[in-house]
């Protein structure tokens, strides 16, 4: 719920008439939320046929479609086809960040927008250890923030048990610049 609220808080306020891409859509939660926020057409794309099948299993308006495609290429989508794109809690799961942002830049119309939500890399770090400060205040000991790498949580019930690519905020911001995208707003809910 927090991620959807954050995503919808960052997209343009007037989605009516816009064609939007939901990158790495998974089960289509953000895809359906974007449609519900007024987008004229929303395409959810995911590299997993199983996830796309799950997304298609949810009730969605006729303006929603799902496609199996790789976020790093978006080869089934035309250049300049979309007014905007979103990626909720998946950009850190995609191996080639530069290729993904380059593909996104290609499919966006001039003046198009891209909004993404990620787990904060300062706190979602390999080997981060929860602790308690004096007075019972929860804290997190972070080691290895600057060591970018793929990692999996050792917790079999943890959200990162499938793994993700730990990157610094600097890496994300510089990749956006290399792709020709401009940062207009950042939020840390």
């Amino acid at each position: 719920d927090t991620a959807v609220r954050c995503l919808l808080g960052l997209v343009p306020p007037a989605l009516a008439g816009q064609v939007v891409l939901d990158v790495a859509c998974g089960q289509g939660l953000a895809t359906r939320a974007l449609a519900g926020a007024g987008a004229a057409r929303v395409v959810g794309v995911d590299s997993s046929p199983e996830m796309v099948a799950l997304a298609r299993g949810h009730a969605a308006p006729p303006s929603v479609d799902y496609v199996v495609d790789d976020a790093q290429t978006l080869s089934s989508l035309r250049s300049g086809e979309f007014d905007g794109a979103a990626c909720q809690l998946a950009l850190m799961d995609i191996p080639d960040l530069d290729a993904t942002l380059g593909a996104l830049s290609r499919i966006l119309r001039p003046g198009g927008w891209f909004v993404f939500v990620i787990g904060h890399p300062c706190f979602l770090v390999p080997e981060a250890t929860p602790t308690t400060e004096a007075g019972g205040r929860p804290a997190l000991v972070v080691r290895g923030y600057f060591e970018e790498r793929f990692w999996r949580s050792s917790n079999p019930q943890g959200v990162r048990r499938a793994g993700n690519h730990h990157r610094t905020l600097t890496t994300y911001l510089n990749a956006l610049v290399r792709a020709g995208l401009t940062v207009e707003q950042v939020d840390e809910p």
Side-chain angles (χ1 to χ4, degrees):
D1 290 343
T2 300
V4 170
R5 278 193 307 276
C6 185
L7 182 81
L8 293 178
L10 291 169
V11 299
L15 286 181
Q18 293 203 15
V19 179
V20 179
L21 178 68
D22 182 16
V23 179
C25 69
Q27 296 182 32
L29 180 65
T31 310
R32 294 184 299 279
L34 290 162
R41 179 174 167 244
V42 185
V43 176
V45 63
D46 201 284
S47 63
S48 166
E50 294 83 7
M51 294 306 282
V52 169
L54 285 172
R56 288 180 178 145
H58 291 276
S63 60
V64 170
D65 189 25
Y66 295 102
V67 176
V68 176
D69 199 346
D70 186 339
Q72 299 166 121
T73 62
L74 300 174
S75 61
S76 67
L77 305 175
R78 294 185 321 271
S79 296
E81 184 175 353
F82 295 89
D83 297 298
C87 184
Q88 178 176 283
L89 296 177
L91 203 54
M92 66 269 198
D93 298 332
I94 302 168
D96 193 334
L97 180 63
D98 284 319
T100 301
L101 295 177
L104 280 164
S105 185
R106 178 187 61 78
I107 60 91
L108 290 173
R109 293 183 178 132
W113 53 268
F114 172 54
V115 171
F116 67 96
V117 175
I118 58 173
H120 199 302
C122 184
F123 303 107
L124 190 59
V125 181
E127 292 92 39
T129 308
T131 188
T132 305
E133 293 181 337
R137 183 177 175 179
L140 188 67
V141 175
V142 174
R143 294 182 184 89
Y145 174 76
F146 294 104
E147 298 169 30
E148 295 191 355
R149 62 188 189 245
F150 180 81
W151 71 286
R152 284 188 173 91
S153 172
S154 58
N155 177 355
Q157 304 305 313
V159 295
R160 293 289 125 210
R161 64 185 177 272
N164 78 312
H165 298 271
H166 171 69
R167 301 176 176 111
T168 65
L169 282 176
T170 300
T171 295
Y172 284 106
L173 294 172
N174 287 331
L176 291 166
V177 170
R178 283 191 302 275
L181 300 168
T182 304
V183 176
E184 294 181 356
Q185 186 178 354
V186 176
D187 189 15
E188 293 181 287

